[in-house]
Amino acid sequence: MAYRKQLTRLKAPYLKRILIEPARVADWEKYPWNLPIFRSHDFELEFTTPITIIVGENGTGKSTLLEAIGALAGYDEAGGGKGYMPIDHSRAIDKSGAALAETLRGHWLPKVTAGWFFRAESFYSVARYLDQAALDAHEAPPDFLSWSHGEGFIRFFEERCRKQGIYILDEPESALSPTRQIELLKMLRRMDLSGTAQVIMATHSPLLMACPGARLFRISRFGLDPTGFHDTDHFRMMRNFCSDPDGFLAEALYEDEA
């Protein structure tokens, strides 16, 4: 992987640790501070490997946590690159990620914040923003939207995740087939081996969770804890389905009529 600019000779991860500062929290009963991961009021997450993967059920706070990390690195909560504001969210009701960031402190060595904050739900808005920015500069637009959804994602990753920096990826598998997920997995592996890219990713994909060398954390009702790939609910469910599809579906779809 070729990088056009070397920001530091130190290896990833650059963001070493985040922790909550209780004195900055006005109301622990308010979202997102009422999430299980903050129950003890002494939340801390240490990054020891270039790739960190966060897994968990919907509603456990994965995206909010990534939004907060993105805000700490200087990214807009809607995603994009540094200095981008692809969406006018001045009237948005939910600003929980940015609010959470105000109560967190990040430890960097060094503070490398170049990179990208990718959010699947805002991909189209970011892609349109990039096209318009290129046209305004009288340049050829990247035109990610002329491809299928999944192909656009892959082309986006190939183009935007090649430099030294920090990459925050929120459910990047959402438009990718299993084959395309393997392509993304290869990119992640190259980023890991380069030593110059830090990736913090939230995903539901067992394929991406299996990324060699990555450190996994699971968010549950008990908090945030390191876990092994084989211990994730996602892997167990897929293993049970593959070993006995008919039996798995019969049990999963059973409804007690009583």
Side-chain angles (χ1 to χ4, degrees):
M1 181 181 296
Y3 291 85
R4 289 177 283 180
K5 185 177 179 181
Q6 188 80 358
L7 302 173
T8 177
R9 293 183 180 274
L10 295 178
K11 299 293 187 181
Y14 307 116
L15 178 58
K16 301 294 186 182
R17 184 165 61 113
I18 59 172
L19 69 161
I20 199 162
E21 296 194 326
R24 295 185 180 182
V25 180
D27 186 356
W28 289 100
E29 299 302 317
K30 185 179 179 180
Y31 186 88
W33 299 278
N34 61 358
L35 287 167
I37 56 176
F38 304 122
R39 182 179 294 127
S40 65
H41 298 185
D42 62 352
F43 170 82
E44 182 175 327
L45 175 56
E46 185 176 11
F47 302 97
T48 59
T49 55
I51 298 181
T52 302
I53 299 175
I54 300 173
V55 304
E57 273 299 327
N58 295 328
T60 54
K62 299 187 304 301
S63 293
T64 299
L65 182 59
L66 260 64
E67 286 176 19
I69 294 172
L72 287 175
Y75 292 96
D76 185 80
E77 60 199 88
K82 292 296 287 293
Y84 289 26
M85 188 174 177
I87 298 175
D88 180 8
H89 43 65
S90 58
R91 298 184 180 180
I93 297 176
D94 183 13
K95 298 182 180 180
S96 53
L100 175 60
E102 295 179 358
T103 62
L104 296 178
R105 178 156 48 93
H107 292 256
W108 304 76
L109 186 64
K111 191 168 184 179
V112 174
T113 59
W116 201 271
F117 178 19
F118 176 87
R119 300 193 65 182
E121 63 187 41
S122 61
F123 173 75
Y124 284 110
S125 297
V126 172
R128 283 192 293 268
Y129 179 96
L130 294 174
D131 284 347
Q132 188 59 53
L135 291 172
D136 291 343
H138 304 290
E139 300 173 353
D143 197 21
F144 296 115
L145 297 181
S146 66
W147 299 74
S148 71
H149 200 177
E151 289 292 328
F153 270 41
I154 287 295
R155 290 190 69 246
F156 180 89
F157 295 135
E158 289 175 341
E159 180 177 317
R160 299 285 162 169
C161 300
R162 302 181 68 86
K163 298 180 181 180
Q164 185 179 45
I166 182 168
Y167 296 89
I168 303 164
L169 310 178
D170 188 11
E171 299 183 12
E173 77 281 1
S174 62
L176 302 180
S177 69
T179 301
R180 295 307 187 204
Q181 289 183 41
I182 293 295
E183 290 188 33
L184 177 56
L185 190 59
K186 290 178 180 178
M187 292 182 207
L188 292 172
R189 184 59 172 161
R190 290 195 296 269
M191 295 169 79
D192 182 21
L193 294 176
S194 75
T196 56
Q198 179 175 5
V199 177
I200 303 172
M201 176 173 64
T203 183
H204 292 294
S205 166
L207 285 173
L208 298 185
M209 292 177 199
C211 182
R215 189 180 186 196
L216 269 67
F217 288 89
R218 177 175 58 190
I219 296 181
S220 70
R221 65 182 183 277
F222 303 109
L224 177 68
D225 299 292
T227 188
F229 167 63
H230 293 90
D231 295 324
T232 62
D233 296 333
H234 307 71
F235 172 80
R236 290 174 175 173
M237 182 175 292
M238 291 306 300
R239 179 188 59 192
N240 293 341
F241 171 76
C242 292
S243 64
D244 182 11
D246 293 335
F248 177 90
L249 290 175
E251 181 177 351
L253 301 179
Y254 175 76
E255 295 184 12
D256 189 352
E257 297 180 356

